[in-house]
Amino acid sequence: MEATKNVLVTGGAGFIGSHLIRHLVQNYPNYRIINLDKLTYAGNLENLRDVENAPNYVFIKGDILDIQLLQNLFQEYQIDSVIHLAAESHVDRSISNPMQFIETNIVGTVTLLNAARTAWEGEYEGKRFYHVSTDEVYGTLGETGLFTEDTSYDPRSPYSASKASSDHLVRAYYHTFGMPVILSNCSNNYGPYQFPEKLLPLMINNIRHEKTLPVYGDGKYTRDWLWVGDHASAIDRVFHEGKDGETYNIGGNNEWKNIDLVHELCDLMDELLDRPAGSSRKLITFVKDRPGHDRRYAIDATKIKDELGWEPTVQAREGLRLTAKWYLDNTEWVERVTSGEYQKYYEQQYQQEAG
Ligand code: NAD
Ligand code: DAU
């Protein structure tokens, strides 16, 4: 069967990317899904084992900064759509190594935009460049208020500044060159296959090993959590039904203060691990705060609901249980990704708590 779309997904071996690839491969047998991923520490082909032999799926190991490779891919696979997720994604790493974020998130995005522009030669009928971004570009909220698509950009970490910069560049290609771009800015995702440097999988892994649970600052920082499968379905909706040049905020309507979320997780883990109630909470340690730590993120997802009919489906407690169970059932995956380089990162990041 001839492919009705040739979709280049970048960063498809990462956390969100792997859920998106699985969703697209399974739901669109008539599309060809080309996954371009450099396989950094955060990319893992194990995440895609169940779809790796699907006839509508191709994996290419490569860098979005490699101009020649991109040109070849656009030509060989007649790419008509790009869903761009490849990025350095961890705020703490952006504080210790900002340059990598500038290169991948900013220069990498422009390199990809240029490759699409060159390949499509102004023939934009049936083409789409979808940039997947974050709510962190909006900066931080106080106790009240929500981020809308009109909230001014105010990024405060090297990670969020690099994502903000890439968003501006994507929009510039729409206004200046007429490229058919579309963007979405999403809140914190959680679920299976998230690298255990991020809050929830890190805490789950530490509880399992009875290691301390490092909560930054006073623990009253707030995030809006979205089940990763709901993000994949939102990307599908925006990709197919969103309008060129538009931005859609995606969120879970699910705000938690970090310490409340960690408490909830501790109690759940005690139950799942059959440990006495209260044992995991005893592991909580308040540690030095993240520099420039944004106090609160929360998304107003009215636009995507009203215009595209998308809403999150997985409730917080259900999602947390599914996530904790997945990590407990997949300890080999966790052991593999946390061995080697990650041990060094962990020791540096949590100097006082390592061990
Ligand atoms: P991740 O770190 O798990 O995965 C990133 C993927 O990109 C990895 O597979 C990595 O190998 C690949 N990659 C990195 N540099 C590359 C390069 N130069 N060339 C090709 N591939 C490269 O990230 P994630 O959490 O899945 O996030 C995916 C995207 O979604 C990012 O753009 C991120 O900014 C955005 N986002 C993430 C969240 C979240 O909560 N995780 C929320 C909103 C938006
Ligand atoms: O909001 C979307 C963003 O969510 C994405 O763009 C990022 O790619 C993703 O990493 C995530 O960023 P956060 O910085 O919010 O996620 P993280 O899991 O690193 O931290 C969540 C909160 O938990 C944050 O307030 C910091 C805190 N934290 C984190 C870690 C790793 C701790 O208290 N202790 C920790 O050890």
Side-chain angles (χ1 to χ4, degrees):
M1 191 198 327
E2 202 179 323
T4 54
K5 274 190 194 297
N6 291 305
V7 186
L8 177 67
V9 177
T10 69
F15 167 48
I16 300 167
S18 59
H19 287 273
L20 177 68
I21 293 261
R22 182 173 302 101
H23 174 94
L24 294 176
V25 166
Q26 291 175 346
N27 286 285
Y28 298 96
N30 52 335
Y31 290 5
R32 183 160 54 177
I33 310 298
I34 300 110
N35 175 12
L36 171 65
D37 198 297
K38 185 179 171 183
L39 299 182
T40 67
Y41 79 92
N44 189 344
L45 287 179
E46 269 189 73
N47 303 2
L48 288 163
R49 193 137 285 166
D50 52 336
V51 293
E52 68 188 3
N53 294 320
N56 60 338
Y57 172 69
V58 181
F59 173 69
I60 310 286
K61 181 176 187 307
D63 195 327
I64 53 166
L65 284 149
D66 184 339
I67 299 170
Q68 190 59 53
L69 171 69
L70 292 179
Q71 272 177 10
N72 294 345
L73 286 181
F74 271 86
Q75 201 176 23
E76 180 178 351
Y77 293 103
Q78 293 295 295
I79 305 292
D80 46 53
S81 314
V82 177
I83 309 183
H84 175 38
L85 294 98
E88 288 293 333
S89 69
H90 191 39
V91 174
D92 293 325
R93 288 184 191 253
S94 82
I95 295 166
S96 48
N97 182 13
M99 265 330 271
Q100 188 62 53
F101 287 69
I102 308 309
E103 280 159 18
T104 299
N105 298 0
I106 306 177
V107 184
T109 300
V110 182
T111 308
L112 195 57
L113 282 164
N114 286 340
R117 188 171 164 239
T118 306
W120 294 342
E121 296 177 323
E123 285 297 320
Y124 291 140
E125 187 62 38
K127 310 287 197 308
R128 173 150 275 182
F129 188 107
Y130 182 173
H131 180 58
V132 174
S133 194
T134 170
D135 61 358
E136 301 204 5
V137 298
Y138 298 122
T140 186
L141 291 164
E143 288 292 308
T144 57
L146 299 171
F147 295 134
T148 73
E149 288 79 1
D150 296 324
T151 302
S152 300
Y153 274 33
D154 185 21
R156 292 147 44 95
S157 74
Y159 164 68
S160 53
S162 69
K163 291 296 291 188
S165 180
S166 64
D167 291 10
H168 290 317
L169 285 156
V170 170
R171 292 194 185 99
Y173 274 60
Y174 172 74
H175 292 292
T176 309
F177 304 119
M179 263 188 64
V181 310
I182 196 159
L183 297 89
S184 58
N185 294 79
C186 187
S187 63
N188 288 61
N189 285 215
Y190 72 105
Y193 299 112
Q194 186 168 34
F195 196 85
E197 63 189 351
K198 307 278 168 64
L199 180 73
L200 278 172
L202 185 140
M203 296 293 172
I204 293 170
N205 195 34
N206 284 14
I207 292 172
R208 191 166 74 85
H209 291 290
E210 295 180 86
K211 284 173 71 171
T212 56
L213 308 180
V215 174
Y216 296 162
D218 65 2
K220 292 185 181 150
Y221 294 85
T222 301
R223 298 290 183 265
D224 172 2
W225 293 91
L226 178 70
W227 174 250
V228 62
D230 279 333
H231 191 188
S233 73
I235 292 174
D236 177 342
R237 194 68 60 89
V238 171
F239 177 64
H240 286 101
E241 291 171 35
K243 288 204 202 92
D244 283 345
E246 292 288 318
T247 294
Y248 299 86
N249 279 356
I250 303 170
N253 302 322
N254 181 30
E255 285 186 53
W256 289 79
K257 285 194 170 53
N258 292 339
I259 189 64
D260 296 338
L261 186 62
V262 172
H263 280 153
E264 185 80 18
L265 178 71
C266 284
D267 297 347
L268 172 64
M269 291 294 284
D270 287 346
E271 180 204 316
L272 295 175
L273 292 167
D274 209 12
R275 289 180 184 164
S279 13
S280 299
R281 286 189 184 217
K282 290 193 190 127
L283 298 170
I284 293 173
T285 316
F286 290 91
V287 300
K288 194 160 134 302
D289 212 348
R290 172 185 281 176
H293 199 169
D294 288 333
R295 194 64 173 166
R296 178 170 163 259
Y297 304 144
I299 283 279
D300 178 345
T302 310
K303 178 175 173 181
I304 189 169
K305 181 176 173 216
D306 288 355
E307 294 186 13
L308 306 183
W310 176 90
E311 279 186 281
T313 61
V314 175
Q315 301 305 312
R317 287 197 169 77
E318 179 197 354
L320 201 59
R321 183 172 285 269
L322 288 170
T323 305
K325 285 181 88 159
W326 186 87
Y327 280 92
L328 292 178
D329 290 344
N330 290 275
T331 52
E332 285 173 9
W333 181 92
V334 179
E335 299 305 332
R336 275 196 287 278
V337 301
T338 52
S339 61
E341 277 304 304
Y342 181 67
Q343 291 294 342
K344 282 192 229 149
Y345 165 81
Y346 193 89
E347 276 157 30
Q348 273 162 17
Q349 176 65 24
Y350 300 96
Q351 274 159 23
Q352 311 104 314
E353 295 77 37

